[in-house]
Amino acid sequence: MLPGDKSISHRYALLAALARGTSRIEHFSAAADCQSTLDCLRKLGVKIERTASAVRITGAGLNGLQHSRRKLDAGNSGTTMRLLAGILAGQPFDSTLTGDRSLQRRPMRRVIEPLTQMGAEIHAGHEGVAPLKIHGRKLAGIDYTLPVPSAQVKSAILMAGLFAEGVTEVTEIVPTRDHTELALEEFGVHVGRFERTLRVTGGVELRPRDLTVPGDLSSGVFFLAAALILPESSLVLHDVGLNPTRTAVLDLLAGWGVPISLLSVREAGGELVGDVAVRHAPVEGGEIAGDEVAQLIDELPMLAALGPFTEKGIEIRDAKELRVKESDRIAVVAENLRRMGANVEERPDGLRVGGRSAGRLHGAEIETHGDHRIAMAFAVAALGAEGPSTIRHAECTDVSFPGFFESLDKVVER
């Protein structure tokens, strides 16, 4: 079974902490990022019990969070920091949000600006990075258009809107994943939708819920890619989240000639869930650019690493956002592909990776720069390389997928 979806787990935990009563969340992600969210909530006075199969969170309502004298450590999780910043902006106390070295390099001005417009006072480090010192204030709703597509920033504003007077509106130029909107509605908050504008009204009490987190499609993509690299492979991923804002990667692969089928599709907790079946076939490859980049942002490292196994190669454009993820993913992907002998052209907003005609990859020492998606993408690429590969700092996969290498080993053995 795939791990619980990381994005959904964060959101369920945060909203359960704001609800009045106890929520039970099955198949909650075991990722270190989601543990960071739970740890921060505990410091804010939220009662959390975790078992092998579920997390029980007892919230005390919108006004139930308590001041923490300790810094709130988001670890490596940008989702934790940005979404929690939205919640903390509306609290009647001060908080400090920090994170690991990687997170302290990631841009936070994009979330500071709208929250400041709502009335919060936030002080950041040099060049607008963490730690964030948040002086909670009484907030007012705003009408904000996202300058850069970001589900995290959108979510932070919507969550701050729960504590704001009046109506908060967020308009997206490019649609991003809508897990926050769906989760808010599950917890009893009406989200108005007008084309690409979302609207919430402050002061609505959240109700506790019993929910199950679907399997993480972004993690499943690594196994789909492995099936496409290894001849005669056939694979079924069970109980996977099939939210339409997350399945662009399946549409893309199908368009490249990959035989993908969706089975047993159903709705649960506002999210679509089902099984994904794939079998080995030639992958055409092609271009990824424009609006589709925002829908594929987490899958781009794996897709780029798949490039040498495609017929035409893969070109990624309009993806400058990759340079401010857990690592500079454009530079790191290009570096590691070159180490394996691929034909790569790095560009400011993406890269071009040559296909099969450039020759077979060879084993190499892969430098992950502590980035979980880089480690997993190149572990999969190494399956199709000639000779052994070494993944440095491979433990970084625990950020999103504890036990990834054991799971990959089991799938390959079958």
Side-chain angles (χ1 to χ4, degrees):
M1 179 180 286
L2 290 172
D5 188 286
K6 193 158 65 97
S7 296
I8 296 173
S9 294
H10 283 299
R11 288 154 172 82
Y12 283 179
L14 291 168
L15 294 177
L18 301 178
R20 187 174 297 280
T22 300
S23 298
R24 178 180 173 87
I25 305 171
E26 297 276 354
H27 200 218
F28 190 88
S29 172
D33 276 3
C34 294
Q35 184 59 50
S36 293
T37 290
L38 296 182
D39 289 344
C40 288
L41 290 174
R42 285 191 180 99
K43 289 178 182 176
L44 291 166
V46 179
K47 182 180 178 182
I48 299 173
E49 302 170 82
R50 185 157 195 172
T51 67
S53 62
V55 172
R56 288 171 56 88
I57 299 176
T58 302
L62 281 180
N63 301 314
L65 297 182
Q66 301 172 18
H67 171 254
S68 173
R69 295 183 179 179
R70 295 178 290 170
K71 293 180 179 179
L72 303 172
D73 189 352
N76 190 247
S77 177
T79 303
T80 303
M81 179 165 286
R82 291 185 176 122
L83 271 61
L84 198 52
I87 291 171
L88 294 173
Q91 300 304 312
F93 51 76
D94 295 346
S95 306
T96 299
L97 271 169
T98 189
D100 66 12
R101 186 177 301 177
S102 170
L103 187 55
Q104 289 185 33
R105 293 195 297 264
R106 296 177 67 180
M108 293 297 155
R109 279 185 180 147
R110 60 183 60 177
V111 74
I112 293 172
E113 180 180 338
L115 295 178
T116 300
Q117 288 184 27
M118 295 178 79
E121 181 182 344
I122 303 177
H123 299 283
H126 181 61
E127 297 184 351
V129 297
L132 305 181
K133 295 182 179 180
I134 301 173
H135 303 282
R137 295 289 186 271
K138 193 171 184 177
L139 304 180
I142 59 170
D143 183 350
Y144 189 79
T145 298
L146 293 173
V148 177
S150 173
Q152 293 179 0
V153 177
K154 171 183 69 176
S155 301
I157 299 169
L158 292 175
M159 290 195 175
L162 298 175
F163 303 92
E165 286 190 355
V167 174
T168 297
E169 292 188 350
V170 184
T171 300
E172 298 185 279
I173 298 173
V174 177
T176 61
R177 57 184 60 175
D178 64 352
H179 299 305
T180 297
E181 299 93 293
L182 294 174
L184 282 167
E185 291 179 331
E186 282 298 308
F187 281 88
V189 179
H190 173 69
V191 179
R193 300 174 189 244
F194 311 92
E195 295 181 349
R196 293 186 176 179
T197 297
L198 304 166
R199 176 185 293 173
V200 296
T201 301
V204 177
E205 281 290 338
L206 280 67
R207 61 173 183 244
R209 295 283 284 118
D210 289 347
L211 297 164
T212 299
V213 179
D216 184 11
L217 179 58
S218 293
S219 296
V221 165
F222 298 104
F223 299 99
L224 296 178
L228 298 175
I229 288 173
L230 297 174
E232 301 181 6
S233 294
S234 180
L235 178 70
V236 178
L237 301 175
H238 296 285
D239 300 322
V240 182
L242 297 175
N243 183 302
T245 64
R246 296 285 294 279
T247 54
V249 66
L250 302 182
D251 297 333
L252 179 80
L253 291 174
W256 287 352
V258 176
I260 288 181
S261 301
L262 302 183
L263 312 170
S264 305
V265 179
R266 58 201 182 277
E267 191 263 339
E271 296 280 355
L272 288 180
V273 182
D275 302 339
V276 180
V278 66
R279 56 181 174 80
H280 180 81
V283 184
E284 183 178 356
E287 180 182 277
I288 303 171
D291 289 357
E292 66 183 342
V293 167
Q295 302 288 345
L296 293 166
I297 198 70
D298 285 341
E299 292 79 32
L300 289 178
M302 185 65 259
L303 291 169
L306 185 64
F309 304 95
T310 65
E311 303 305 311
K312 299 193 309 188
I314 292 177
E315 181 174 0
I316 298 172
R317 297 189 289 107
D318 305 318
K320 193 174 181 180
E321 181 73 8
L322 287 176
R323 292 201 181 273
V324 292
K325 290 293 187 177
E326 285 85 337
S327 67
D328 180 340
R329 286 179 173 167
I330 293 174
V332 175
V333 166
E335 170 197 348
N336 286 315
L337 282 173
R338 290 193 190 103
R339 290 185 180 196
M340 300 183 82
N343 183 357
V344 185
E345 178 186 349
E346 181 181 344
R347 299 169 183 170
D349 66 342
L351 37 74
R352 171 81 172 86
V353 183
R356 290 183 183 277
S357 61
R360 187 177 179 185
L361 298 186
H362 57 73
E365 184 171 284
I366 302 301
E367 179 51 67
T368 64
H369 293 266
D371 189 327
H372 56 121
R373 297 201 188 277
I374 297 296
M376 292 187 283
F378 281 91
V380 172
L383 296 174
E386 187 174 355
S389 293
T390 300
I391 312 293
R392 290 176 53 81
H393 306 295
E395 69 279 358
C396 65
T397 58
D398 288 349
V399 165
S400 62
F401 196 156
F404 168 76
F405 290 101
E406 292 84 352
S407 296
L408 184 62
D409 190 46
K410 290 177 182 177
V411 170
V412 172
E413 281 181 354
R414 290 180 185 177

